Amino acid sequence: MQEWTGSFPNWAYNIVRMPGIRYIFNSVLDIIMPRTCVVCGRKLLVNEQHLCMYCEDDIPFTYNWNMHHNPMADRYNALIQKDIDSSGKTLETLQAERIRYEYAAALFIYGADAGYKHICHRLKYEGDTAIGRHFGCLLGKRLAQSGLYKDVDAIIPVPLHWTRKWKRGYNQAEVIAKAAAKEIGAPVVTGMLARKRKTSTQTKLDVEHKYRNVSGAFEVRKRPDPKIRHILLIDDVFTTGATMASCYSALRKAFPPETRISASALASVWQ
């Protein structure tokens, strides 16, 4: 069903939700405000949401949510290791921290087909939070089905600097995280991890400059819950992994070594 942002009395909303009435209601809305596929521009049928049936069948899924090792996870762990190597910690300290391989997964491949980039673009720059919730739900379902993420007990969206969130009106990562959380069955924790300084846009930076740009940009501002044993970081797009690695570094300072810190995103350039 199309998402309706207006307000109805409860009795009216329940009527609209009835299958037959819903179909008529959607059909009328499609005549008044025709919807098109975000990928190819084809006019959507009444039961289609955001993508036409053809583009939905061709979503470039990563299928990496069931893989302990995958290119995205390897990149994430490589940056974590880079941060550890530059920390100056002694070998004894590193061994005590029991450094281990962390999990990472995304729903679809960013850039596999130019049209699918529009999903993230619509969410991030055009205020289409409905598309973020739709695909965030799909991401959550895939992660919930995976044995790797079944014990996640806290979901943390990558935070925006307060000025950027105020200007945009929302945090796109939080939109995705809240939808995914309903499928995973874990709470979304906001306010604990914060972006303490505003970073420049990352779109035109190379790997090394992206790493430097976000290094030390995050901090933990709330006392961590000692019961948390598996954190899932969520963002909209995973490119170089620099942002996720910087979030990991901030959280690792606050959480004990036995707390796993996984990463996930709606889309990733790393399959």
Side-chain angles (χ1 to χ4, degrees):
M1 178 181 178
Q2 297 181 46
E3 294 210 21
W4 178 254
T5 56
S7 59
F8 285 110
N10 287 337
W11 62 267
Y13 181 75
N14 290 333
I15 291 175
V16 171
R17 295 285 293 179
M18 294 172 63
I21 301 298
R22 181 174 61 187
Y23 185 89
I24 295 172
F25 182 74
N26 285 351
S27 298
V28 172
L29 279 182
D30 278 343
I31 293 172
I32 300 172
M33 299 179 292
R35 300 171 300 128
T36 57
C37 175
V38 69
V39 172
C40 70
R42 187 191 307 269
K43 185 177 178 180
L44 294 179
L45 300 176
V46 66
N47 290 324
E48 294 174 336
Q49 295 186 63
H50 309 294
L51 302 182
C52 67
M53 65 177 74
Y54 306 104
C55 291
E56 187 161 358
D57 286 343
D58 290 336
I59 296 176
F61 288 121
T62 65
Y63 297 102
N64 62 13
W65 45 81
N66 288 321
M67 303 176 190
H68 185 275
H69 282 269
N70 62 66
M72 177 179 166
D74 288 345
R75 181 62 185 173
Y76 177 53
N77 281 273
L79 288 174
I80 291 171
Q81 189 61 53
K82 180 178 180 179
D83 184 63
I84 291 170
D85 291 342
S86 62
S87 66
K89 293 180 181 179
T90 65
L91 180 60
E92 290 75 17
T93 301
L94 296 179
Q95 289 174 338
E97 290 182 352
R98 293 183 293 174
I99 299 167
R100 60 159 172 256
Y101 191 87
E102 302 290 354
Y103 305 144
L107 183 63
F108 62 89
I109 307 168
Y110 189 81
D113 182 301
Y116 290 93
K117 289 183 178 180
H118 295 159
I119 294 171
C120 297
H121 191 279
R122 285 272 291 268
L123 168 61
K124 190 171 184 177
Y125 300 112
E126 298 181 27
D128 193 348
T129 54
I131 202 170
R133 290 191 293 271
H134 178 78
F135 286 96
C137 179
L138 289 182
L139 172 64
K141 287 180 179 178
R142 298 303 188 278
L143 296 177
Q145 294 165 1
S146 170
L148 302 178
Y149 303 89
K150 64 181 180 180
D151 61 343
V152 167
D153 50 13
I155 296 176
I156 299 180
V158 172
L160 289 177
H161 189 265
W162 72 267
T163 57
R164 191 160 289 165
K165 184 176 181 180
W166 176 80
K167 183 178 180 180
R168 188 169 296 165
Y170 60 93
N171 176 4
Q172 68 276 5
E174 189 173 332
V175 172
I176 299 166
K178 287 181 176 178
K182 293 179 180 179
E183 302 297 330
I184 297 171
V188 175
V189 180
T190 58
M192 177 185 291
L193 183 65
R195 193 182 291 251
K196 63 182 180 181
R197 61 179 174 82
K198 188 175 181 180
T199 54
S200 57
T201 180
Q202 302 250 95
T203 53
K204 296 184 179 180
L205 299 179
D206 59 26
V207 176
E208 185 59 32
H209 283 89
K210 283 182 178 180
Y211 179 79
R212 294 177 184 176
N213 187 42
V214 296
S215 181
F218 301 92
E219 65 179 359
V220 173
R221 290 184 176 173
K222 286 185 179 180
R223 179 176 296 179
D225 184 344
K227 296 179 182 178
I228 294 176
R229 286 293 178 265
H230 191 172
I231 294 170
L232 178 62
L233 286 166
I234 288 187
D235 205 358
D236 57 337
V237 181
F238 182 100
T239 51
T240 65
T243 299
M244 289 289 199
S246 184
C247 289
Y248 174 97
S249 180
L251 289 169
R252 181 51 71 207
K253 294 174 183 177
F255 284 90
E258 56 268 22
T259 299
R260 185 179 292 279
I261 305 173
S262 299
S264 186
L266 207 56
S268 171
V269 298
W270 303 88
Q271 186 174 359

